[in-house]
Amino acid sequence: SAGLRPMSTDQYGAAITAQAREWPEITKIFASSDNYLNRILRGGSANLTIDVYGYDLTRTTVIAEQLATIARETPGSRDVRISQDIGRPELAMKIDRFRATALGLTMDSIALSLSTLFQGGVATQYREEDDQYDVLLRLDEPRRQSLEDIRRSEITTPTGARIRLDSIAAIEERMGPVTIRRKNQERVVTVEFDAIDRPQGDLLADIRARVAQEVLLPDGVTLGYSGMIEEQEKAERTMVMMIALGILLVYMVMAGQFESFRHPFIILFSLPFAFSGVAVALFLTNTPLSMIAYIGCILLIGVVVNNAIVLIDYINILRERGQRLGEAIVNSGRQRLRPVLITTLTTILGMLPMALSHGEGSETWRPLGIVVVGGLSVSTLVTLVIVPVVYDLMETRRERRRLEEKRA
């Protein structure tokens, strides 16, 4: 129960990793909730990634370190890590190609000679009855111990002459990457981190602001933001498109039922006020605009228009019975107030348990209840006042235009 688990899974993971980092045996540690559904639907606890693109891994790693420092200092971040390892020592051989070519040596022959000297190569095979043994040829152990042994090693040219390796190549010791990661056919170093106790959009906005001010990107180095924030942005664009499509479909259905393009527009006039109620409800409850909240907005499109449909339809019926415009509006509001309130209250009361729940997993679906309750409450009050006023203005202007056309 909530009393036995005062913290979320991500908070427990943050506490465990913070304690484990103090152990000298651990060099890298991070925690993940592995709850993909919650990562998509909720505003936080999702993996975020900053991609640093560039061919020079030394420069991109330096930039990645700066980004990691900024991410660690930004409130709400957790488990900041860089994908590129420090690397391991390696020997780099830079061959003077002009000198090697003049001696008749190729890159393959030089590499094959070094491989035979220090790693060994099968020179021949020894047979004894039915057994066959490979004969491995390489330098003696004392002659392949140090960097100087490599420099002093001799390579045979095609003419039979023997030359030292350091006469045609320079050998230096450096740190080389363990792996080279690529994304979109470019070398990339990634900075990964999680969001905890804070919406990931707010966290990334703060990081982007600091990066724009403090990080100077050298030529050939670019940044990209990916991970779950990229998926969330794609999902948000899809949700916005679905909301627009829902409004269009609702308008088309009402236009067919009312046999008018004007009256459905008056009914849809209540939608902006519903969305303002959504914004107020999310702000008062400190709830981020998550995917579930978007689903609630789509649900509102089909629900909030019901009250306006009831009012406008009854106004049209009264006008067909011979009542004047103002009288029909007043009588419709008086007689349809009770059905409107009953419809609204049943929906709001049905969503209240979801909006007020605090049990295990309630944070996933609570935004849906909050959005519906907030949007429906505000839109109902507005529908009873604004929709009749807009109807009166549009119909009065329409009648005035008809009279002017008759006089003309």
Side-chain angles (χ1 to χ4, degrees):
S1 65
L4 297 177
R5 291 189 58 189
M7 294 191 300
S8 66
T9 304
D10 296 306
Q11 291 171 334
Y12 277 114
I16 293 173
T17 54
Q19 184 176 356
R21 284 194 189 96
E22 300 178 0
W23 300 347
E25 299 87 353
I26 296 179
T27 58
K28 184 184 294 186
I29 184 174
F30 65 92
S32 175
S33 65
D34 288 332
N35 192 336
Y36 187 77
L37 178 63
N38 281 349
R39 290 185 175 191
I40 287 291
L41 298 179
R42 289 195 342 223
S45 302
N47 178 259
L48 306 173
T49 304
I50 306 177
D51 299 319
V52 186
Y53 297 96
Y55 184 81
D56 190 344
L57 293 177
T58 303
R59 300 166 75 181
T60 54
T61 303
V62 171
I63 298 296
E65 291 285 355
Q66 298 178 18
L67 298 176
T69 301
I70 292 175
R72 291 189 186 99
E73 294 174 354
T74 304
S77 65
R78 183 192 68 171
D79 294 339
V80 181
R81 52 200 181 272
I82 299 177
S83 65
Q84 186 66 39
D85 293 327
I86 299 175
R88 58 184 178 184
E90 65 179 14
L91 297 177
M93 181 173 63
K94 296 183 179 180
I95 301 175
D96 188 334
R97 292 176 179 266
F98 295 103
R99 186 175 298 179
T101 304
L103 295 172
L105 295 171
T106 63
M107 301 302 107
D108 289 338
S109 63
I110 295 173
L112 181 60
S113 298
L114 284 178
S115 176
T116 302
L117 292 174
F118 290 91
Q119 289 184 326
V122 178
T124 185
Q125 292 178 331
Y126 170 72
R127 294 178 180 272
E128 184 177 352
E129 296 180 356
D130 293 336
D131 297 327
Q132 181 175 310
Y133 304 92
D134 292 334
V135 178
L136 187 67
L137 178 66
R138 67 178 177 180
L139 286 174
D140 193 17
E141 182 72 22
R143 294 181 179 270
R144 48 185 175 88
Q145 294 290 330
S146 65
L147 181 60
E148 285 301 319
D149 291 333
I150 300 177
R151 292 195 178 102
R152 288 195 301 263
S153 60
E154 295 181 345
I155 297 176
T156 304
T157 66
T159 61
R162 299 178 66 84
I163 62 171
R164 282 174 53 130
L165 180 63
D166 57 4
S167 66
I168 60 171
I171 301 175
E172 61 182 20
E173 189 174 0
R174 68 185 185 185
M175 298 296 291
V178 178
T179 58
I180 297 178
R181 299 188 179 187
R182 285 180 172 85
K183 186 176 182 180
N184 299 328
Q185 299 181 347
E186 291 185 73
R187 289 186 175 186
V188 62
V189 178
T190 60
V191 180
E192 299 175 343
F193 53 97
D194 297 330
I196 185 170
D197 298 334
R198 192 180 182 194
Q200 62 184 16
D202 296 346
L203 171 63
L204 200 63
D206 291 348
I207 292 176
R208 278 176 166 167
R210 284 196 58 183
V211 169
Q213 295 177 357
E214 303 176 16
V215 178
L216 180 61
L217 297 178
D219 293 336
V221 178
T222 58
L223 298 182
Y225 295 87
S226 59
M228 292 307 301
I229 190 65
E230 184 179 19
E231 298 300 324
Q232 185 182 20
E233 289 175 351
K234 290 180 181 178
E236 286 179 352
R237 288 194 294 269
T238 302
M239 287 295 180
V240 171
M241 183 183 68
M242 292 176 64
I243 289 175
L245 183 61
I247 294 174
L248 177 62
L249 292 176
V250 169
Y251 179 84
M252 292 172 61
V253 171
M254 289 190 299
Q257 292 296 317
F258 280 99
E259 298 181 354
S260 168
F261 293 105
R262 186 178 63 262
H263 292 164
F265 176 78
I266 299 173
I267 294 172
L268 290 180
F269 200 80
S270 59
L271 281 179
F273 297 96
F275 293 143
S276 65
V278 169
V280 172
L282 293 177
F283 174 77
L284 293 178
T285 57
N286 195 25
T287 304
L289 185 60
S290 60
M291 292 300 103
I292 283 294
Y294 274 110
I295 294 174
C297 292
I298 297 173
L299 175 64
L300 277 178
I301 294 173
V303 174
V304 299
V305 297
N306 292 338
N307 296 331
I309 289 175
V310 170
L311 279 177
I312 300 300
D313 183 62
Y314 198 66
I315 292 174
N316 292 337
I317 292 175
L318 293 181
R319 293 186 67 189
E320 290 176 358
R321 293 176 181 176
Q323 294 188 12
R324 291 178 293 103
L325 176 62
E327 183 182 1
I329 292 176
V330 173
N331 291 334
S332 175
R334 182 183 298 114
Q335 297 183 30
R336 286 291 180 253
L337 175 62
R338 186 176 178 183
V340 165
L341 292 180
I342 291 175
T343 303
T344 302
L345 288 175
T346 52
T347 307
I348 291 177
L349 293 176
M351 285 292 181
L352 270 181
M354 182 184 296
L356 301 177
S357 61
H358 292 282
E360 291 293 330
S362 61
E363 65 275 7
T364 302
W365 297 102
R366 191 188 308 141
L368 177 62
I370 293 173
V371 164
V372 173
V373 171
L376 196 56
S377 300
V378 174
S379 67
T380 301
L381 298 176
V382 171
T383 298
L384 295 172
V385 178
I386 299 297
V387 169
V389 172
V390 174
Y391 185 93
D392 181 73
L393 292 175
M394 294 187 68
E395 291 298 319
T396 302
R397 183 175 300 177
R398 183 187 177 198
E399 292 180 358
R400 189 180 304 158
R401 191 178 303 161
R402 284 181 178 180
L403 291 176
E404 292 175 355
E405 291 176 357
K406 288 180 180 181
R407 291 173 183 174

